[in-house]
Amino acid sequence: MATLLSKKKKDETLKDFLPLEGTDFIEFYVGNAKQAAHYYQSAFGFEPLAYAGPETGIKEKVSYALRQNKITFVFSTALHASHDIAAHVHLHGDGVKTIALRVANAETAWNETTKRGARSYLETTRLQDNYGELVMSGIHLYGETIHLFIERENYNGAFMPGYTAWNPTYQGSPTGLLYVDHCVANVGWNQMNRWVDFYEEVMGFRNILSFDDKDISTEYSALMSKVMSNGNGYVKFPINEPAEGKKKSQVEEYLDFYQGEGVQHIAMATHDIIKTVSQLQQRGIEFLKVPDSYYKDLLSRVGNIDEQLEPLQELGILVDRDDEGYLLQIFTKPVEDRPTLFFEIIQRKGAQSFGKGNFKALFEAIEREQEARGNL
Ligand code: FE2
């Protein structure tokens, strides 16, 4: 009976009532958007795209939009202490507020998700300027995070109404980052399945992979994770929750410092991870390091790969293989002072998984950092 029910449920979720065209942008609420924008230009190689602030008629906040290939980041700061962004930064530190998803119809996206139980953040709103019309709507997620649905087929401006094209003298030069591969949430104890259900029932996503605490544990700490994907696979959200271990889970450390649930990491894809990571390291991005012993039996674990072992080891790039191919990946240290948000750089060579074979080495590296912070 359970099987029949779950099959029926599966069939229902396969009808894609929420077709997504990918990640439109990710907005970060930060303490100083001007400086954050410079860091993402100079260190990560994003290029200036658009600006909104008092000069463009926005009185309460400033925002800088940056782009590298298909990745658009927006950094926003409040101009006054009473603004929501100021409260968000006070509580969480710098972090992700919005994962905006591109849709053909923002009104339908809002209707379909709210009727299935999503809590509305923004009813369908039509923004117009000389460049056309952009339609958006939004729903609440875990913690204070939101999804915005962005419909921009009839909009030709730099980014969106309220913004002006931004073309400063200083321009970042790209590092080969192409698109958002996946975006990971950390949720509280026993909350993972609640958010799995949310993505299945409200957003029509499927659970494509699950890891229990036996897959993701070291001697000291553990977590559980389930990966949710939309129908066409363009949008993937792994969801982590802490699990009991001898010491504090890295997810718990995040929850303590973010003061709640939120985005843990954003994975950005490249076609040449050695080149991308070399440039990022030269520009000061710090990555987690695994011990040299990781590389000793790497090829016997993953088989033949196109890359030379030496630069991978030098840069600290990890490799994992699944049935469909292999992938190369590396993780930055947190990019703000709180041990919260970090980035992953990933190159997929067939593999559609998430580097399960690297979890242990990786989490041991994270624990060394946790221990140095006194939080293990
Ligand atoms: Fe990841």
Side-chain angles (χ1 to χ4, degrees):
M1 188 63 180
T3 322
L4 279 176
L5 278 175
S6 68
K7 187 179 181 302
K8 183 169 172 274
K9 200 171 162 188
K10 214 172 186 178
D11 288 343
E12 278 168 10
T13 59
L14 286 177
K15 272 183 258 157
D16 201 350
F17 57 81
L18 184 64
L20 301 175
E21 297 166 9
T23 306
D24 192 274
F25 66 87
I26 294 175
E27 182 174 15
F28 304 73
Y29 280 0
V30 299
N32 188 334
K34 179 179 275 200
Q35 290 190 3
H38 185 75
Y39 171 76
Y40 282 87
Q41 283 185 84
S42 58
F44 280 95
F46 282 79
E47 295 174 300
L49 176 68
Y51 168 83
E55 300 86 342
T56 71
I58 309 289
K59 298 294 182 201
E60 300 297 319
K61 62 171 186 171
V62 292
S63 296
Y64 298 81
L66 308 177
R67 182 168 288 167
Q68 187 165 181
N69 295 303
K70 289 184 175 168
I71 312 170
T72 305
F73 284 169
V74 179
F75 300 93
S76 296
T77 288
L79 291 175
H80 304 286
S82 57
H83 195 276
D84 287 351
I85 296 177
H88 197 279
V89 171
H90 178 72
L91 190 61
H92 304 295
D94 289 4
V96 171
K97 173 64 179 179
T98 306
I99 303 169
L101 303 169
R102 180 89 54 90
V103 295
N105 188 319
E107 186 167 23
T108 309
W110 188 90
N111 288 338
E112 292 294 332
T113 50
T114 54
K115 86 177 182 200
R116 288 174 170 82
R119 193 157 59 90
S120 174
Y121 173 80
L122 176 72
E123 288 189 25
T124 305
T125 304
R126 295 174 187 278
L127 304 171
Q128 283 144 351
D129 66 11
N130 294 338
Y131 298 97
E133 182 184 72
L134 183 142
V135 190
M136 63 187 206
S137 61
I139 58 172
H140 286 276
L141 297 176
Y142 44 84
E144 288 200 82
T145 319
I146 59 164
H147 278 320
L148 288 181
F149 300 115
I150 306 289
E151 173 190 333
R152 56 168 74 249
E153 256 138 69
N154 298 315
Y155 190 69
N156 298 312
F159 181 54
M160 62 167 63
Y163 284 75
T164 184
W166 178 42
N167 196 15
T169 318
Y170 178 77
Q171 303 271 334
S173 60
T175 55
L177 299 171
L178 298 173
Y179 57 88
V180 173
D181 185 277
H182 60 274
C183 199
V184 182
N186 276 344
V187 299
W189 291 93
N190 306 313
Q191 294 300 302
M192 178 179 68
N193 285 328
R194 177 189 163 198
W195 290 102
V196 166
D197 291 347
F198 173 89
Y199 275 104
E200 276 180 358
E201 285 158 23
V202 173
M203 306 271 294
F205 280 44
R206 290 174 300 131
N207 175 211
I208 57 168
L209 276 172
S210 299
F211 307 103
D212 64 19
D213 49 350
K214 283 170 200 67
D215 295 318
I216 316 185
S217 68
T218 64
E219 188 186 348
Y220 296 121
S221 71
L223 63 88
M224 294 189 280
S225 189
K226 288 186 177 175
V227 183
M228 306 306 294
S229 170
N230 82 316
N232 61 19
Y234 289 175
V235 179
K236 292 193 227 38
F237 298 130
I239 301 165
N240 299 333
E241 73 173 32
E244 290 290 353
K246 278 190 204 159
K247 295 190 179 180
K248 186 184 270 192
S249 167
Q250 53 168 292
V251 178
E252 217 181 335
E253 187 196 33
Y254 175 101
L255 296 168
D256 286 352
F257 280 86
Y258 199 70
Q259 295 275 299
E261 303 177 334
V263 171
Q264 179 210 40
H265 76 266
I266 299 164
M268 301 186 282
T270 169
H271 287 327
D272 187 346
I273 197 166
I274 291 176
K275 197 169 166 192
T276 295
V277 172
S278 300
Q279 289 181 357
L280 293 174
Q281 288 193 0
Q282 280 159 20
R283 296 172 187 209
I285 300 295
E286 295 179 310
F287 291 91
L288 288 174
K289 281 281 188 184
V290 293
D292 281 341
S293 57
Y294 172 89
Y295 295 92
K296 281 211 179 83
D297 54 350
L298 178 66
L299 296 182
S300 63
R301 287 204 305 276
V302 301
N304 284 337
I305 55 173
D306 302 333
E307 293 73 17
Q308 299 284 324
L309 202 53
E310 202 178 41
L312 296 180
Q313 180 165 359
E314 210 163 280
L315 295 166
I317 294 165
L318 311 174
V319 190
D320 194 31
R321 186 177 284 278
D322 65 20
D323 296 342
E324 295 169 282
Y326 70 97
L327 62 83
L328 305 112
Q329 62 185 169
I330 189 167
F331 297 82
T332 72
K333 292 185 181 182
V335 291
E336 56 289 293
D337 294 302
R338 297 192 200 192
T340 52
L341 178 76
F342 59 89
F343 290 95
E344 172 181 354
I345 313 298
I346 185 165
Q347 182 178 4
R348 294 187 179 280
K349 295 192 133 179
Q352 293 305 312
S353 53
F354 293 83
K356 182 180 167 186
N358 292 324
F359 287 169
K360 195 168 192 299
L362 190 66
F363 294 142
E364 283 169 355
I366 292 176
E367 281 170 13
R368 285 192 290 278
E369 302 283 324
Q370 259 182 280
E371 183 149 41
R373 292 188 284 263
N375 297 330
L376 184 62

